């Protein structure tokens, strides 16, 4: 009897352990609750039924986040690391803007030149930055910023040598002491200075356009960026003798623009004018073939200057960047207005080419003092640059210096004016927050300061100009004596696109008036047609 009871109890327990359809142990009570839940869900509208999975996911994530809060948080970047990251990002963006200025130079110079030479101008502007990259990496950066003596750098070639950037000032240990103030990696310093170096060589391209041999331009550009530009640059930005004396050039009116302008002037002088440019003592106008793309080039350069000048802070300082951007823009605006008015009064019409070069003249002039002056002073500097550039273009034309795009007038003349303007309009140290203690030029002559800063600026302009003229002259003379720097007359007459490159920029389009691309009207007086093409 007892054994039967045990067997019944065992069967009862086995029966109660039957599994439900969902794989869980079967229970009448749980089955009842499950059915009630299913019935309740079925009574809901389809919209509420769709919310059930979402609500389930939210509850799960909520629970996970509650657990995750108990885990120790990972250590984030320090304030110093964030500053280096932001400064590096700003320097890189500014460098990209300056690099894009190559497109502006391409458009500007091509539009101001004749159709038959468009390919040649484009090719020169494109290849020059590639050459500049190699030359500046191999030797130029070391000559300019490497530790050495007051006249030349002797370390850091191929970006070699010790360097613990982004450490700054006393913490810096390396061979580029002149850049120890910039708290960014060495690669960022090099990138920003590289795009500057490429600009110096591009300036020469426009002044020697339409008659120089392609290979000679390549050789000259390579040596200019690799040797000539870095030597004088070391004097100012590399901690050389002019920097020690107190010469200030914030973003390159002298270091870049004047150096490129002097080299361009000597190239134009040694090449001589284009065929047919001067006849019977008068200048024959060779109109630029496309002022639309020339205007586009001007706008691209204007945009690029917001990297050129504010980027020279090498730090994401909001006060410095915005102030410099405003002085830069004011210089450009004032230059364009002044050149328009001057051309209208002096030449009889508001010539577009002079508006373009007036804007560029204001930008070049404000480049050296942009961090050291007020916005009102930038207006005055730009106005003077806009007037000066108009008369400079006609002056060089009367001197029979044939500059198809007005590069010498814009970059050389206004670069000199901008460097001297530091000594006239500088507010002096201690006014703006981005000045380090005891740094910056002294108060300008026109703001109540003495003449010392102006005299120092004048010494720097003359010294850099003299060295650049000397080295450029030697190089142009060597090239002229060996390879010959000018194309043959028949090649120049036909156009450098065919003679030098074997192609046309506008294949299938209408050709220019006249067999040689000269203006149909011949020599005449009155209105200009493009920079360097003025007749009085």
């Amino acid at each position: 009897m007892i054994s039967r009871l045990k067997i019944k109890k065992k069967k009862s327990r086995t029966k109660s352990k039957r599994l439900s359809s969902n794989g869980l142990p079967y229970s009448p009570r749980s089955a009842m609750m499950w059915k009630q839940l299913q019935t309740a869900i079925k009574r809901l509208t389809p919209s509420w039924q769709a919310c059930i999975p979402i609500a389930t996911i939210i509850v799960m994530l909520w629970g996970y986040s509650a657990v995750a809060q108990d885990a120790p948080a990972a250590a984030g970047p320090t304030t110093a690391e964030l500053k280096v990251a932001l400064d590096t990002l700003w320097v890189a963006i500014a460098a990209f803007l300056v690099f894009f200025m190559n497109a502006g130079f391409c458009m500007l110079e091509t539009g101001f030149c004749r159709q038959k030479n468009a390919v040649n101008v484009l090719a020169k502007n494109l290849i020059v930055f590639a050459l500049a990259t190699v030359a500046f990496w191999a030797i130029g950066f070391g000559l300019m910023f490497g530790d050495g003596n007051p006249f030349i750098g002797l370390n850091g070639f191929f970006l070699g040598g010790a360097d613990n950037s982004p450490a700054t000032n006393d913490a810096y240990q390396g061979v580029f002491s002149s850049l120890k103030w910039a708290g960014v990696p060495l690669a960022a310093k090099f990138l920003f200075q590289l795009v500057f170096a490429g600009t110096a060589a591009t300036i020469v391209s426009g002044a020697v356009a339409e008659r120089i041999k392609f290979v000679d331009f390549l050789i000259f550009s390579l040596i200019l960026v690799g040797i000539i530009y870095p030597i004088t640059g070391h004097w100012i930005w590399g901690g050389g003798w002019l920097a020690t004396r107190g010469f200030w050039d914030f973003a390159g009116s002298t270091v870049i623009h004047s150096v490129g302008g002097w080299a361009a002037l000597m190239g134009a002088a040694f090449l001589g004018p284009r065929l047919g440019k001067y006849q019977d003592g008068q200048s024959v106008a060779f109109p630029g073939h496309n002022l639309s793309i020339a205007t586009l080039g001007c706008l691209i350069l204007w945009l690029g200057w917001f990297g050129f000048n504010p980027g020279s802070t090498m730090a994401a300082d909001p006060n410095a960047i915005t102030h410099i951007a405003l002085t830069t823009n004011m210089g450009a605006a004032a230059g364009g207005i002044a050149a328009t008015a001057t051309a209208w009064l002096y030449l009889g019409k508001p010539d577009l080419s002079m508006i373009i070069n007036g804007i560029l003249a204001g930008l070049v002039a404000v480049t050296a003092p942009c961090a050291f002056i007020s916005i009102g002073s930038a207006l005055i500097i730009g106005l003077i640059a806009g007037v000066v550039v108009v008369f400079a273009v006609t002056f060089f034309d009367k001197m029979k210096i044939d500059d198809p795009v007005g590069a010498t007038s814009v970059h050389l003349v206004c670069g000199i004016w901008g460097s001297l303007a530091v000594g006239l309009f500088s507010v002096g140290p201690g006014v703006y927050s981005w000045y380090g203690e005891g740094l910056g030029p002294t108060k300008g002559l026109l703001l109540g300061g003495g003449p010392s800063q102006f005299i120092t600026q004048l010494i720097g302009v003359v010294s850099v100009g003299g060295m650049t003229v000397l080295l450029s002259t030697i190089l142009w003379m060597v090239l002229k004596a060996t390879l010959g720097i000018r194309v043959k007359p028949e090649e120049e007459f036909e156009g450098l696109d065919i003679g030098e490159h074997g192609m046309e920029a506008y294949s299938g389009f209408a050709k220019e008036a006249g067999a040689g691309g000269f203006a149909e009207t011949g020599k005449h007086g009155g209105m200009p047609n493009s920079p360097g093409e003025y007749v009085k």
Side-chain angles (χ1 to χ4, degrees), residues 21-66:
S21 60
N22 56 9
L24 297 175
Y26 178 79
S27 170
R29 186 177 179 181
S30 61
M32 179 81 60
M33 293 176 64
W34 178 247
K35 287 182 178 180
Q36 290 176 348
L37 180 62
Q38 287 180 325
T39 303
I41 292 174
K42 288 179 180 179
R43 290 176 180 175
L44 296 173
T45 62
S47 299
W48 281 105
Q49 291 179 12
C51 293
I52 293 175
I54 300 174
T56 305
I57 294 172
I58 292 174
V59 171
M60 293 175 63
L61 292 176
W62 202 338
Y64 174 79
S65 63

Side-chain angles (χ1 to χ4, degrees), residues 259-535:
V259 168
W262 284 116
L265 177 64
M266 301 315 298
F270 276 99
L271 276 168
R274 291 166 289 175
L275 292 177
K277 180 69 178 81
Y278 300 105
Q279 299 178 24
D280 301 328
Q282 292 196 29
S283 176
V284 177
F286 295 164
H289 84 281
N290 193 331
L291 292 184
S292 298
I293 63 173
T295 303
L296 175 61
C298 175
L299 290 170
I300 292 173
L301 290 172
W302 196 340
L303 172 65
W305 239 284
F306 290 120
F308 204 99
N309 289 358
S312 296
T313 58
M314 300 286 279
D317 184 329
N319 292 322
I321 290 172
T322 50
H323 179 84
I324 294 168
L326 287 176
T327 55
T328 298
N329 189 68
M330 183 60 73
I337 293 170
T340 303
T342 304
W344 207 334
L345 294 172
Y346 180 51
L347 302 171
K349 294 289 184 180
D351 178 59
L352 174 59
S353 65
M354 289 314 305
I355 298 173
I356 291 172
N357 272 354
I359 291 169
L360 299 180
L363 288 166
V364 170
V366 83
T367 294
C370 58
F372 314 129
I373 59 174
S374 66
I375 297 176
S377 295
L379 173 68
I380 297 172
I381 293 170
L383 287 173
I384 295 174
V387 174
V388 166
V389 74
V390 175
F391 291 100
V393 168
T394 56
F395 170 78
F396 285 120
D397 198 42
K398 290 176 181 178
M399 296 293 294
K400 292 184 170 53
I401 301 295
D402 187 11
D403 181 354
V405 304
T408 51
S409 302
V410 170
H411 298 280
L412 173 57
V413 176
C414 295
I416 292 173
W417 160 236
S419 299
L420 297 178
V422 175
L424 297 175
F425 295 98
S426 169
V427 297
V431 176
Y432 296 132
S433 61
W434 50 90
Y435 278 24
E437 186 176 353
L439 297 179
T442 59
K443 183 176 287 189
L445 180 62
L446 298 181
L447 298 184
S452 59
Q453 188 64 56
F454 181 81
I455 294 172
T456 300
Q457 297 299 117
L458 181 61
I459 292 172
V461 166
V462 173
S463 301
V464 171
M467 177 58 74
T468 306
V469 168
L470 175 63
L471 297 178
S472 297
T473 298
I474 294 172
L475 181 53
W476 283 123
M477 290 179 67
V478 171
L479 290 173
K480 189 172 184 178
T482 54
L483 299 176
I485 57 177
R486 184 158 182 157
V487 298
K488 296 177 181 179
E490 54 270 23
E491 187 176 340
E492 182 179 345
F493 185 80
E494 184 181 19
L496 274 63
D497 289 1
I498 298 298
E500 290 279 280
H501 306 278
M503 62 179 63
E504 295 178 313
Y506 305 97
S507 180
F509 285 77
K511 305 298 181 184
E512 294 170 304
F518 298 155
E520 290 181 340
T521 53
K523 55 180 180 286
H524 57 84
M527 272 304 298
N529 290 271
S530 63
E533 320 292 345
Y534 292 85
V535 188

